Amino acid sequence: MSKLRFNITMSLDGFVAGPNQSEQDPLGVGGMELHQWIFPLEAWRRSHGEEGGEVNASTAVVEEWTENVGATIMGRNMFGGGPGPWREPAWNGWWGEEPPFRHPVFVLTHHAREPLELEATTFFFVTDGIESALGQARAAAGDEDVSIGGGADVIRQYLAAGLVDEFELAVVPLLLGAGARLLDDLGGTAVEQVRVVEAPGVAHLKYRVSAAA
Amino acid sequence: MSKLRFNITMSLDGFVAGPNQSEQDPLGVGGMELHQWIFPLEAWRRSHGEEGGEVNASTAVVEEWTENVGATIMGRNMFGGGPGPWREPAWNGWWGEEPPFRHPVFVLTHHAREPLELEATTFFFVTDGIESALGQARAAAGDEDVSIGGGADVIRQYLAAGLVDEFELAVVPLLLGAGARLLDDLGGTAVEQVRVVEAPGVAHLKYRVSAAA
């Protein structure tokens, strides 16, 4: 059965980006530090076209994130290109000519745009809301899962709507103090612990969302 | 070397008590659910004078919490008896005639009171602040560690003052949505991951506080 799921790196105090996010600093102040655990990994480097790197307990977790995923949903902020109407020259995402997704990506936006076809990945721009994006993503994914790429706002909307089946948090030993908090105002969402993995500099916590409590 | 440490159960969204804490509902609405993982444990039941119970991956973690602890510090709210001046008849804590501490306990309060000596545990009431309480607790503990019993406010004060050496969070699969958040306004506190333990219904995450970043 096809699932809606996400994985995200979160500071110990619950932030997935630092304060003062901007076009120049998309992860906010201190936000880049969140991801220090992943950059040395061979699994990460390989998916970004680089060789070498470490293999440790995070490897299998990171590989699982992209296994059996047939479509991705993301917010306009994560796709980038600034807020408001699309400008010229066209912004084609952060990922270059060959984005690592290699499946259809549905970008939630208020501003219509023709699909953007890059090497092995096509971005579709969805203007009629999260349920529509999910329906289109499920149709594109077939039997495979749909992954929510982020950001925090989009993930929170899907969680609040009770549409998420499963998620995994990479909890890092960092106290950011401010920024975008992932799990805000989600009281009443019932979750079950699926598994916990200890890895260097990160704790991987996986949960299943239960039927509404 | 004697350490200052604490352990506490926290919801996945960062709360250590639910909203609307009161004398009748000291853990707040939904707060009791936080602790469901511990009650079935043999290690918990034994320390509360009961027999039987489960042994699982949480057992060693819970036993470690009280090992090598020579004194405890807690806030007035945790000791209980309502806010403001001490009333008659005297409130002697939640723990009956034989509290489970079995070492000196230092209660932070604005209201002076003579020490309260119960079976194997004496409560001392400290009115001159967290550093004084820590000094007295260290003196009482000798080579052993000092544990901060709670609540969240007291723990946060010690963290913000840079006085904590080590802490362990029992993260439970629960989204409370509101209540007392443990790790608020602690940006800049540098921590290192010590270990991660997977246990039924709970993830035990242990951290060391590093020198100020």
Side-chain angles (χ1 to χ4, degrees), chain B residues 136-195:
Chain B
Q136 294 178 53
R138 279 200 203 282
D143 291 340
E144 295 190 300
D145 293 343
V146 176
S147 171
I148 314 173
D153 270 0
V154 171
I155 289 175
R156 220 173 6 239
Q157 287 176 51
Y158 279 103
L159 279 170
L163 295 168
V164 173
D165 297 296
E166 208 174 86
F167 62 93
E168 185 152 33
L169 305 176
V171 177
V172 293
L174 190 62
L175 294 166
L176 285 177
R181 215 161 210 160
L182 181 69
L183 300 174
D184 252 349
D185 294 320
L186 291 168
T189 305
V191 297
E192 294 163 60
Q193 181 177 298
V194 174
R195 72 155 186 220

Side-chain angles (χ1 to χ4, degrees), chain A residues 183-203:
Chain A
L183 300 174
D184 251 350
D185 293 321
L186 291 167
T189 306
V191 297
E192 293 163 59
Q193 183 177 297
V194 174
R195 71 153 187 223
V196 175
V197 174
E198 173 175 38
V202 60

Side-chain angles (χ1 to χ4, degrees), chain B residues 94-118:
Chain B
W94 304 100
W95 302 276
E97 283 303 307
E98 196 178 337
F101 306 98
R102 310 189 75 78
H103 55 228
V105 177
F106 297 84
V107 179
L108 286 157
T109 170
H110 296 293
H111 302 280
R113 177 172 168 181
E114 288 300 305
L116 168 66
E117 202 172 327
L118 298 175

Side-chain angles (χ1 to χ4, degrees), chain B residues 23-97:
Chain B
E23 222 169 319
Q24 287 70 41
D25 205 358
L27 294 174
V29 176
M32 205 61 182
E33 274 189 77
L34 284 165
H35 303 281
Q36 294 305 322
W37 67 274
I38 207 174
F39 300 136
L41 290 182
E42 187 270 342
W44 171 264
R45 295 175 55 86
R46 181 166 21 91
S47 73
H48 289 71
E50 293 180 72
E51 288 180 20
E54 295 171 20
V55 173
N56 64 33
S58 285
T59 300
V61 173
V62 168
E63 287 175 346
E64 236 183 76
W65 286 355
T66 50
E67 269 167 27
N68 198 41
V69 172
T72 292
I73 297 171
M74 66 172 64
R76 163 71 187 273
N77 281 346
M78 189 174 170
F79 181 75
W86 300 104
R87 309 171 205 163
E88 292 294 338
W91 171 262
N92 289 345
W94 304 100
W95 302 276
E97 283 303 307

